[in-house]
Amino acid sequence: MFYIIIYEMRQDKILEAKTKAGNYCAYQERTQQEVRDKLYNIGLYQDEVEEVLTELITENFINEERYAKAFASGKFRLKHWGRNKIVYTLKQKNISSYCIDQAMKEIDEDEYKNEIIRQINKKSNQLSGKEYIVKNKIARFLITKGFETELVWSLINEYLKIGT
């Protein structure tokens, strides 16, 4: 009798956790690890966490490819991050290489180059001084935002004309 009561209490806790996790995922895209951490914080055991995660994946509450695409496009369009920074951050979140590759395909190459050019023009208007110093500052700024070094330098040399 005692074990039946404990079992029913655990089942109620699992059902409550699944509902909370579903709401957590419905609010915004989440990684499996974020949901896993949330379920452990609720107080589920490992086998229960994996059971709930499996159900959430099956019901399409969790989809890491969808997460990676939303993350990449959001960080590029809103935060103006480059590919390197986006890829690094997704790897830190344990997103698979396949999902990262799919997310990178969402960023249009022309739009990407236009963003770098826009950043070059914006930053060059804020800086003054010798041409090589301004170019280096702009390059450092863009590289720390995650844009590829070779592409940054190529576009700086093509589009930035100081004092002409």
Side-chain angles (χ1 to χ4, degrees):
M1 186 67 167
F2 175 72
Y3 294 114
I4 294 172
I5 293 171
I6 296 285
Y7 176 78
E8 288 176 0
M9 288 172 57
R10 285 310 297 171
Q11 291 304 312
D12 289 344
K13 183 147 185 119
I14 292 170
L15 187 60
E16 176 188 346
K18 183 181 175 205
T19 304
K20 283 184 179 180
N23 291 337
Y24 183 64
C25 293
Y27 178 70
Q28 78 180 41
E29 294 293 338
R30 308 283 180 178
T31 65
Q32 287 182 29
Q33 192 58 50
E34 289 172 331
V35 178
R36 185 176 281 114
D37 293 343
K38 180 82 167 169
L39 292 170
Y40 280 126
N41 287 338
I42 290 173
L44 296 186
Y45 300 125
Q46 183 177 357
D47 58 330
E48 296 167 337
V49 167
E50 296 307 319
E51 176 187 327
V52 172
L53 264 178
T54 302
E55 289 179 33
L56 291 171
I57 291 168
T58 303
E59 295 170 10
N60 211 22
F61 277 96
I62 301 172
N63 182 323
E64 291 209 331
E65 184 177 342
R66 189 176 64 215
Y67 172 85
K69 287 179 178 180
F71 183 89
S73 91
K75 294 301 180 189
F76 172 66
R77 288 186 179 81
L78 301 176
K79 297 272 189 180
H80 310 291
W81 285 9
R83 287 189 194 110
N84 291 341
K85 191 169 185 176
I86 294 168
V87 167
Y88 176 79
T89 307
L90 288 171
K91 283 181 179 177
Q92 292 246 293
K93 293 175 175 280
N94 296 321
I95 303 298
S96 72
S97 295
Y98 172 79
C99 292
I100 293 172
D101 291 342
Q102 294 304 307
M104 290 300 101
K105 290 177 184 174
E106 294 290 303
I107 299 173
D108 179 64
E109 189 63 31
D110 291 335
E111 191 178 346
Y112 190 75
K113 285 180 181 178
N114 287 336
E115 178 57 33
I116 295 173
I117 294 164
R118 190 184 74 75
Q119 292 285 336
I120 289 170
N121 291 330
K122 180 179 175 187
K123 201 72 175 165
S124 70
N125 290 333
Q126 298 169 353
L127 299 172
S128 62
K130 295 184 179 178
E131 182 175 357
Y132 73 94
I133 293 173
V134 171
K135 284 183 174 183
N136 279 318
K137 285 182 178 184
I138 293 170
R140 251 184 294 133
F141 169 75
L142 290 169
I143 292 166
T144 59
K145 291 203 54 121
F147 293 98
E148 297 86 340
T149 305
E150 298 80 21
L151 183 58
V152 166
W153 276 109
S154 136
L155 292 173
I156 283 175
N157 289 327
E158 185 178 343
Y159 288 95
L160 186 63
K161 307 293 182 225
I162 297 175
T164 49

